[in-house]
Amino acid sequence: MRFFTFALIFPMLFSCSAEKERKPFTSVGIEVIYEDSLSIRAIEIMGNSLAFAANKGTFGTIDLSTGTVRTNVQHFDSITPEFRAVAHTATDFFMLSVADPALLYKTGDKGRMELVYQEKGEGVFYDAMTFWNNMEGIAIGDSVEGCLSIIITRDGGNTWNKLPCDLLPEGIEGEGAFAASNSNIANVGNKTWIATTEGRIYFSPDKGKTWEVHGTLLLSEEPTQGIYSIDFYDESVGVVFGGDFTNPEGNKANKAMTKDGGETWYLIADGQNPPYKSCVQFVPNSSGKEMVAIGFTGISYSNDQGETWKTISDAPFYTFRFFNDSIAYAAGKGRVAKLSFRAK
């Protein structure tokens, strides 16, 4: 079996000072750069490489300059894990499996993935993961024993500790997150927002030390409804997107914005398209006005903070991340693709 290490570079930073008047996107070019019989719901852009993890225990990298793909398979005893969350620091790549047992791996010193956290038990199901900096990171999962599952590292991912329920807001029975796109967590500076299946936002101003919870107006009456994705452009402007994947054409109360850091939310384009989406991201350098939302229902774009949207492709994907303000990479069933957004 071949093993490989990840060459990690700090991701490109986007300066607000560089923002200028932009022409709206009118179309998107789609170039498939990797195909396989996988369900890929977690990707991470690291410099000029894209790392991914998927079902069938598969993880890998794609060199964005050469197109070279390297893959491997991770086993745990007789289990072949399904990975739906990935993250990275300047030195390590991390991937986290869903279901029981939860398995969190990081790149090891000898080129092999090293198991750094394991959790077993009824209801264990982790959904998303990210880092604040090279030392501190967070992963979140469904509620167990009355509160949301949140694990945190303060030593670069070598050890992870689960927050006790007495440090968290009281949970709702069955509350969790959707492991649909690894975009249930948003970080800006020390601030963190977590989106749940109950249409609620957990907020921490201090990298997970203290928490409060706020409601949104998104539908969450059924187990398949709630927030699927959250993103913040800065400490004030944020967006949530969701719906119901079993009723993908539904467009009522499935998207909302905040301009006060998540304390209050208002519905956008209510009763209008786009319908269900599993991942939403602000366009870099857009002053928080432009957003792209992706799902198996296609790709939609707004340039007026979500008041109106335009479908620019029917191509289905689960998740995506921007490389710069006109290029993104998306993943879905059996493929990873480069998205080139175009303006007239």
Side-chain angles (χ1 to χ4, degrees):
M1 183 181 292
R2 294 184 304 165
F3 296 94
F4 63 95
T5 57
F6 293 87
L8 305 181
I9 306 173
F10 284 111
M12 185 179 299
L13 300 178
F14 301 103
S15 169
C16 291
S17 63
E19 295 176 4
K20 58 183 180 180
E21 189 68 26
R22 293 168 46 85
K23 294 182 179 180
F25 297 147
T26 55
S27 63
V28 59
I30 299 174
E31 176 190 357
V32 176
I33 60 174
Y34 173 61
E35 290 184 280
D36 203 338
S37 58
L38 298 170
S39 175
I40 305 172
R41 296 180 180 268
I43 61 175
E44 191 87 339
I45 294 176
M46 304 181 303
N48 207 40
S49 293
L50 182 146
F52 66 90
N55 61 337
K56 301 181 182 180
T58 303
F59 63 102
T61 58
I62 304 171
D63 187 308
L64 300 179
S65 295
T66 66
T68 301
V69 179
R70 295 183 174 88
T71 64
N72 209 332
V73 176
Q74 183 68 51
H75 295 286
F76 177 78
D77 295 334
S78 60
I79 298 171
T80 301
E82 178 176 355
F83 297 105
R84 295 197 187 186
V86 298
H88 79 282
T89 64
T91 57
D92 288 294
F93 170 77
F94 297 81
M95 58 188 190
L96 175 60
S97 70
V98 295
D100 177 17
L103 305 167
L104 201 167
Y105 291 89
K106 68 180 285 290
T107 43
D109 296 333
K110 298 180 180 179
R112 297 171 180 260
M113 299 301 289
E114 173 187 356
L115 184 65
V116 291
Y117 181 81
Q118 178 182 170
E119 184 177 338
K120 299 180 179 180
E122 184 178 355
V124 170
F125 197 102
Y126 279 84
D127 306 289
M129 175 172 53
T130 191
F131 274 77
W132 291 286
N133 52 51
N134 287 326
M135 298 302 293
E136 298 171 293
I138 180 173
I140 61 104
D142 294 354
S143 292
V144 174
E145 298 180 350
C147 69
L148 206 66
S149 296
I150 299 179
I151 58 174
I152 289 178
T153 181
R154 307 284 185 193
D155 62 1
N158 292 307
T159 60
W160 296 74
N161 296 293
K162 190 171 185 178
L163 296 184
C165 286
D166 58 8
L167 294 182
L168 293 168
E170 183 177 353
I172 297 173
E173 184 177 355
E175 185 172 27
F178 292 110
S181 61
N182 192 40
S183 61
N184 308 105
I185 313 171
N187 288 343
V188 177
N190 294 340
K191 296 183 177 181
T192 302
W193 299 264
I194 295 171
T196 80
T197 56
E198 293 294 327
R200 303 203 300 171
I201 305 296
Y202 284 65
F203 171 68
S204 172
D206 49 17
K207 291 184 290 188
K209 296 182 178 67
T210 61
W211 294 88
E212 58 192 58
V213 67
H214 302 287
T216 68
L217 300 172
L218 264 67
L219 284 177
S220 58
E221 297 170 354
E222 301 294 334
T224 51
Q225 295 175 339
I227 305 171
Y228 280 75
S229 183
I230 184 170
D231 193 29
F232 268 75
Y233 188 80
D234 54 28
E235 292 187 352
S236 299
V237 178
V239 62
V240 291
F241 226 106
D244 185 340
F245 76 89
T246 66
N247 179 29
E249 296 308 314
N251 55 23
K252 287 287 294 181
N254 70 320
K255 43 196 174 293
M257 292 278 300
T258 181
K259 293 183 180 179
D260 59 10
E263 290 190 27
T264 61
W265 296 81
Y266 60 93
L267 295 176
I268 53 175
D270 192 27
Q272 304 174 46
N273 285 333
Y276 163 81
K277 301 293 180 186
S278 56
C279 190
V280 63
Q281 301 277 286
F282 283 100
V283 179
N285 298 331
S286 68
S287 300
K289 296 179 181 179
E290 297 177 59
M291 294 173 281
V292 172
I294 275 180
F296 63 74
T297 55
I299 304 172
S300 294
Y301 165 74
S302 172
N303 71 332
D304 55 10
Q305 285 198 328
E307 291 186 19
T308 61
W309 295 78
K310 178 181 179 180
T311 299
I312 56 176
S313 175
D314 293 324
F317 293 99
Y318 297 141
T319 190
F320 79 109
R321 296 294 184 271
F322 276 100
F323 181 75
N324 56 35
D325 58 11
S326 60
I327 300 295
Y329 290 88
K333 186 176 181 180
R335 60 181 181 162
V336 176
K338 178 181 179 180
L339 309 182
S340 300
F341 295 95
R342 301 162 180 157
K344 285 185 178 178

